[in-house]
Structures are given as structure tokens and as C-alpha cells.
Amino acid sequence: MTTYGSFPGTRPRRLRTTPAMRRMVAETRLHPADFILPAFVREGVSEPVPIAAMPGVVQHTRDSLKKAAAEAVAAGISGIMLFGVPEESKKDALGTPGTDPDGILQVAIRDVRAEVGDELLVMSDLCLDETTDHGHCGVLDEQGRVDNDATLERYAEMAQVQADAGAHVVGPSGMMDGQIGVVRDALDQIGREDVAVLAYTAKYASAFYGPFREAVASSLQGDRKTYQQDPANVRESMRELALDLEEGADMVMVKPAGPYLDILARVADAVDVPVAAYQISGEYSMIEAAAEKGWIDRERAILETLTGIRRAGARNILTYWAVEAARMLR
């Protein structure tokens, strides 16, 4: 036999021979505690409402959300990220339901905390897009542009009402300049130093958000390219990262996950705080659609994509498969 370098003496395939061997030498492992479940709760419905663009995902009622939270605890995942969907008639230019103590998101936070206590991290989306009649993540000025600093005032109020409702973690997701510092100060002003801030540090203006717009009954007019990041850019994310950490972020996140694994790896290599990634609606829906057609092995694809996100550096993954994936791993 001809010798090629160290072959035939060296054979990497020896470490792939059996499931037990592959399990022993695996460099990346998934665990249920890695996962956070994004969940939608809709005001004024008596039954969960299926989301057509996200098969298997629903807009919860208050009661079904509590059941979902209990299932998340039983599955061993770490958290649930709540998104509130108010009645259409309650939306306005300022996103008033977002700061109303009786707004659907605040009510849902209280419901889930009453159901699971501290057994599950209750996390809240801190953004105005679900509550504004124009669908943008902030307040608009007279020219119809998102007013960064006026929006920060709304975010400060949102942080306080979400903390009062019982959120363990708030997730400012609007990509406003200065949002982390403003939210941290607002929480500290009411003595809620215990509430953590998960910064949506690198949030790109992605085509993969499409199904999410249905999930939150978005009223978006136009696009979000003036505040979400350009998919072409890398250094921009690292600058956002430095600013978020300086302003007091406890954790940082990259969103979307799959198309931005290079960004995720750069962020993970650069920081000593926990790093999360959000496997967003479009990523979910593509796999579900392909699996429904019989084109891919659904369960393998789910675990493979989650492993890739974990391998790239995410300590935690927000995924709509959180509970299902946790059960697969068990």
C-alpha cells in the first residue's frame, strides 16, 4: 500500500466507528438548559390561534401560556421570552399597551410568574413594534422617521412596568442607540438591580423575520433598515457589542442565528458575558416546510441547526423548538 503522509497509520475514521465512540469524542453538546422558548400571548382570544406561517406555533391565550410555561419547566429549559399581542384597537402611535400595567404583556408576565415562580426565567421583549399602529420599534417624528431619543423614554417606562410585573430579564430589541444604558438606569431607579438585561446587540434587518410579523400581528409600514443592522456588515456588530457592554448589558445576543454564525463566533470570542442567539421564525419555518414536503429529516435538521448555533459560541439559544428539542435530548 502506498503511504500518504501518516496514512495508513493515522485513520481519523477510528473515532467515528460507533454511536458510543462518536458520543464520547463529541466536541459540542446540547442540553435542555441551553434553550429559551419564545412565546406569543394574544389579548382577547378564548382559544390558541395557530400561526399559519409557523406550523406548530400559536398565539396563546393566558391560560394556554401558563400551560406552556409549566411544560417548559418540566422539559428542563432555562427560560421563556414573552411577546404580547394587544387588540388592534388598543394600538396607537406611542405603543401605549407597552407601558400600561394592564397591557397584555405585563398581564402575561404576572400570569407566568404566578404559575412557575422562579423555576423558569421569565423574559420579556422590550420593544414597541407589537403595540404601535405603525409597527415600528419606536416613536415616529413629524417626518415619519423613528425618533431615537423619544423612543428611549418609552423604553425606560417599559422596563419599569415589565420589572414590576415580575420579569427576571428584559430584552431591549429595538436597536436604538443608548437603549441598554437607559434601560439599566430605569431599572436601578426603582430598585430593581436584580433584573438582568439581555441586549439584542447584533440584530440584522433580515428577510427571515417574515413569519414573525404574522405571529405578532405586525402593523409595520415600510422597513426597519434605518435602525436594524445591514446584513453586509461585521465591524458594526463589534462596535454595538462594545457599546452594549459599556452601558451595562448582562448578556448579549445575535439575531438571526443561522445566517449570522460568523458574527456569533466573533461575539463569543470577544466577551466574557453569556452569549445568546435567536433562531428566528424564518429559520424555523423553512425547516418545517421542507420537512412537511418530505425533503429533509425534520428531527435531525432541528438538532443539527441547534448544534451549529451552539458550536459557533451561543451559550443559550432562543428557538421555537425549545421544549421539543429538550425532549429529544432526554
Side-chain angles (χ1 to χ4, degrees):
M1 179 181 290
T2 303
T3 299
Y4 298 96
S6 59
F7 178 82
T10 300
R11 295 177 181 265
R13 285 182 58 190
R14 293 187 187 114
L15 300 182
R16 305 171 196 151
T17 52
T18 68
M21 176 67 80
R22 293 190 293 273
R23 189 165 58 244
M24 184 182 76
V25 302
E27 299 172 31
T28 304
R29 300 184 193 277
L30 292 171
H31 188 278
D34 297 338
F35 303 140
I36 297 164
L37 175 68
F40 309 102
V41 57
R42 178 171 170 178
E43 187 173 25
V45 295
S46 58
E47 298 289 338
V49 179
I51 300 167
M54 299 177 69
V57 180
V58 301
Q59 295 171 328
H60 284 286
T61 67
R62 291 174 60 185
D63 285 341
S64 69
L65 178 65
K66 290 188 287 186
K67 180 180 179 181
E71 291 175 348
V73 171
I77 72 171
S78 289
I80 186 167
M81 174 66 80
L82 301 180
F83 297 84
V85 184
E87 293 180 355
E88 195 68 26
S89 62
K90 294 184 179 179
K91 295 181 181 181
D92 60 24
L94 297 178
T96 299
T99 50
D100 180 354
D102 294 320
I104 184 59
L105 179 54
Q106 288 70 252
V107 169
I109 294 169
R110 291 195 292 271
D111 285 344
V112 174
R113 280 300 304 272
E115 183 73 18
V116 300
D118 292 329
E119 292 186 89
L120 187 71
L121 283 176
V122 179
M123 313 169 87
S124 54
D125 179 58
L126 200 164
C127 195
L128 290 170
D129 59 322
E130 295 103 41
T131 60
T132 53
D133 55 12
H134 47 72
H136 278 286
C137 298
V139 178
L140 304 185
D141 64 17
E142 293 179 355
Q143 285 75 45
R145 302 169 301 189
V146 175
D147 185 324
N148 191 95
D149 296 2
T151 299
L152 293 181
E153 295 180 18
R154 300 289 294 133
Y155 285 3
E157 293 181 60
M158 292 183 75
Q160 291 176 343
V161 297
Q162 290 178 5
D164 285 342
H168 294 102
V169 180
V170 296
S173 61
M175 291 301 290
M176 296 297 118
D177 295 339
Q179 65 182 12
I180 303 304
V182 166
V183 165
R184 180 72 269 161
D185 286 347
L187 292 169
D188 293 350
Q189 286 171 14
I190 61 169
R192 296 309 306 271
E193 295 87 355
D194 58 318
V195 175
V197 178
L198 168 60
Y200 283 60
T201 289
K203 184 177 180 182
Y204 284 87
S206 172
F208 292 96
Y209 296 132
F212 181 89
R213 304 278 161 79
E214 178 189 344
V216 297
S218 175
S219 305
L220 181 63
Q221 302 166 18
D223 59 48
R224 296 177 175 143
K225 293 180 180 179
T226 64
Y227 45 102
Q228 293 178 353
Q229 290 177 235
D230 185 340
N233 293 348
V234 176
R235 287 192 295 269
E236 184 178 26
S237 289
M238 304 312 291
R239 186 182 186 199
E240 293 277 5
L241 175 65
L243 291 168
D244 283 353
L245 293 174
E246 182 181 346
E247 292 174 26
D250 299 291
M251 299 171 276
V252 297
M253 185 159 68
V254 174
K255 180 181 182 182
Y260 296 91
L261 294 180
D262 59 325
I263 307 300
L264 176 57
R266 287 279 295 269
V267 169
D269 286 344
V271 302
D272 57 3
V273 300
V275 177
Y278 197 147
Q279 185 181 50
I280 66 170
S281 59
E283 299 175 74
Y284 172 92
S285 296
M286 285 192 302
I287 289 176
E288 290 290 346
E292 190 274 332
K293 291 283 189 181
W295 293 340
I296 59 173
D297 182 319
R298 179 179 177 276
E299 290 193 1
R300 285 185 61 194
I302 290 169
L303 293 180
E304 184 176 340
T305 56
L306 293 172
T307 299
I309 296 165
R310 182 75 177 85
R311 188 183 63 242
R315 173 68 270 176
N316 296 106
I317 304 170
L318 284 82
T319 175
Y320 299 99
W321 290 304
V323 170
E324 183 179 359
R327 289 170 177 162
M328 290 182 203
L329 295 174
R330 290 184 184 277

